[in-house]
Amino acid sequence: MSNLPPDMDPIALLERAVASAAGEVAAASSIDDLEKVESSLLGKDSPVSQIRRSMGGLDDELKPKVGAMLNDAASRINEVLATRRAELEAGEEELRLGEESIDVTLESVRFPNGALNLVQQTIDEIVDIFVGLGYQVADGPEAELAWYSFDALNTPPTHPSRWEQDTLYLDWGEPGDEVNLRPHTSSVQARWMETHDPPVHIVVPGRCYRKDTIDATHLPVFYQIEGLVVDEDIQFSDLKGTLLHFAREFFGPESEVRLRPHFFPFTEPSAELDVSCFNCDGGEPGCRVCRGGGWLELLGCGMVDPFVLETAGYDPAQVSGFAFGMGPERVAMARHGIDSLRHFIENDVRFLSQF
């Protein structure tokens, strides 16, 4: 036994190694710790390896007994190591699965659903009402010639609405064209009549521009919805009946309308239309919508001026028509009791989410 101390009994050494193996293996708390324990129990410097290397120096009578015990000791130690390795691997896998798992029962991150701005919702609803009456939706350029914005609509060069204090002009094209950002969508009416023969039934939603300071009732960029009807024997009663139908569809079946005389260059006679308050039904003091007046100012309207028809190439003796124009922002304010146009452009989610 050249590799063992002279006084060391190999059988006692193997018994001690097997007896201590269970405790040392059980104390290993990780795979790395277990590999260190395995090295100390079965590595080249372990008692088992030392005895295996010293087998040649043993007495012939002792060799079979030590050999059998050596194999048994190695087998028992390997079994303990394998059991502990399986336990540690299972524990590490369970820990990893716990760290990487997703609890599908938890609420996921949800982003709020977007929605159309109240102004666009109002535009769509108004347009749908008139499309239901057989109207076509018309559109035109936002950068417009003065001819279509003013001249074709019976607005002379001296009219205050053509001054730079009201209208935004573009430094583009020929100076005589007076290219402007359209102050109303009535220009689309002039363009449509220029290229279409009667009968005409159109509704014109679109963006408009005026040199206004932002306040509770004015915006420099706003929307407008115009309507135009031209056909044989169109009368003022047709205009009132059409707008009454619109008011009852939009504000409720009990709505009533009234017309007040007004002036617009492109209609004659002209009027402003009020709708009865849908909130208080008659002028309740302190009403949040009509402020107790009982009526809401809604839009301007009138019979198309014969000059406008002639300019478009129509014969006023054969056809007549009516036109109206409204601001969807103002209509939305009336319907929902909103006190300022600023709310539509401030992007305050607390306001927008109500609609």
Side-chain angles (χ1 to χ4, degrees):
M1 295 202 327
S2 59
N3 293 322
L4 292 173
D7 58 344
M8 181 61 68
D9 180 2
I11 294 177
L13 192 60
L14 287 172
E15 290 176 345
R16 191 181 308 162
V18 171
S20 65
E24 293 182 37
V25 169
S29 58
S30 66
I31 297 295
D32 290 340
D33 291 344
L34 186 64
E35 289 178 351
K36 294 176 182 178
V37 172
E38 183 177 11
S39 178
S40 68
L41 292 176
L42 298 175
K44 64 178 183 178
D45 294 327
S46 66
V48 172
S49 296
Q50 290 179 9
I51 293 172
R52 184 174 285 112
R53 290 194 297 269
S54 302
M55 286 292 293
L58 295 178
D59 295 338
D60 292 338
E61 295 180 358
L62 191 58
K63 282 182 181 180
K65 184 177 180 179
V66 172
M69 191 170 184
L70 181 64
N71 291 333
D72 180 65
S75 176
R76 292 170 63 183
I77 292 173
N78 277 319
E79 183 178 350
V80 173
L81 287 168
T83 301
R84 183 57 179 161
R85 180 175 284 104
E87 293 174 354
L88 292 174
E89 287 177 349
E92 289 185 2
E93 182 177 7
E94 183 177 356
L95 180 62
R96 185 172 62 255
L97 290 175
E99 292 174 347
E100 297 176 357
S101 66
I102 299 175
D103 188 348
V104 296
T105 65
L106 293 177
E107 180 71 17
S108 62
V109 177
R110 294 182 181 270
F111 294 97
N113 293 327
L116 293 176
N117 187 281
L118 177 59
V119 175
Q120 188 61 55
Q121 292 181 42
T122 305
I123 291 172
D124 291 345
E125 186 173 350
I126 293 172
V127 169
D128 284 346
I129 291 172
F130 286 100
V131 169
L133 292 175
Y135 285 56
Q136 292 179 264
V137 180
D139 192 14
E142 295 181 10
E144 187 58 277
L145 302 177
W147 168 259
Y148 294 106
S149 293
F150 302 112
D151 297 290
L153 301 173
N154 198 32
T155 306
T158 56
H159 196 279
S161 65
R162 299 183 68 156
W163 297 350
E164 291 187 358
Q165 67 184 25
D166 287 335
T167 300
L168 295 163
Y169 288 92
L170 302 178
D171 185 12
W172 189 87
E174 296 296 329
D177 290 335
E178 294 184 283
V179 180
N180 58 84
L181 293 175
R182 66 184 183 191
H184 44 218
T185 57
S186 303
S187 57
V188 181
Q189 298 181 19
R191 284 182 173 273
W192 186 275
M193 287 190 291
E194 187 177 73
T195 57
H196 295 77
D197 294 328
V200 171
H201 296 79
I202 61 171
V203 60
V204 188
R207 188 183 291 110
C208 303
Y209 307 83
R210 289 180 189 167
K211 196 176 288 186
D212 286 332
T213 301
I214 296 176
D215 59 27
T217 57
H218 295 85
L219 294 174
V221 182
F222 57 98
Y223 288 84
Q224 194 172 55
I225 300 177
E226 301 252 352
L228 173 68
V229 171
V230 179
D231 204 345
E232 296 180 2
D233 197 29
I234 297 296
Q235 302 179 20
F236 201 90
S237 57
D238 298 316
L239 168 62
K240 184 174 181 180
T242 298
L243 295 179
L244 175 61
H245 172 79
F246 159 70
R248 289 179 173 175
E249 285 291 311
F250 190 83
F251 291 105
E254 303 302 320
S255 298
E256 296 293 337
V257 297
R258 71 179 184 183
L259 293 167
R260 292 178 289 106
H262 198 71
F263 169 77
F264 299 108
F266 36 85
T267 53
E268 178 59 38
S270 302
E272 286 194 340
L273 180 134
D274 300 334
V275 61
S276 60
C277 181
F278 59 89
N279 185 59
C280 69
D281 192 25
E284 179 182 322
C287 174
R288 65 176 179 83
V289 178
C290 70
R291 305 294 191 268
W295 294 91
L296 305 172
E297 181 180 324
L298 198 62
L299 55 85
C301 59
M303 300 300 292
V304 179
D305 192 289
F307 173 84
V308 176
L309 296 175
E310 289 178 355
T311 303
Y314 293 175
D315 183 358
Q318 299 295 322
V319 296
S320 57
F322 64 76
F324 57 86
M326 69 184 83
E329 292 97 339
R330 302 282 182 99
V331 174
M333 290 175 71
R335 186 190 215 183
H336 299 285
I338 299 169
D339 59 2
S340 175
L341 286 171
R342 292 189 183 94
H343 295 305
F344 295 120
I345 62 172
E346 289 176 340
N347 294 325
D348 189 331
V349 175
R350 294 171 298 178
F351 170 77
L352 299 175
S353 62
Q354 298 178 63
F355 311 101

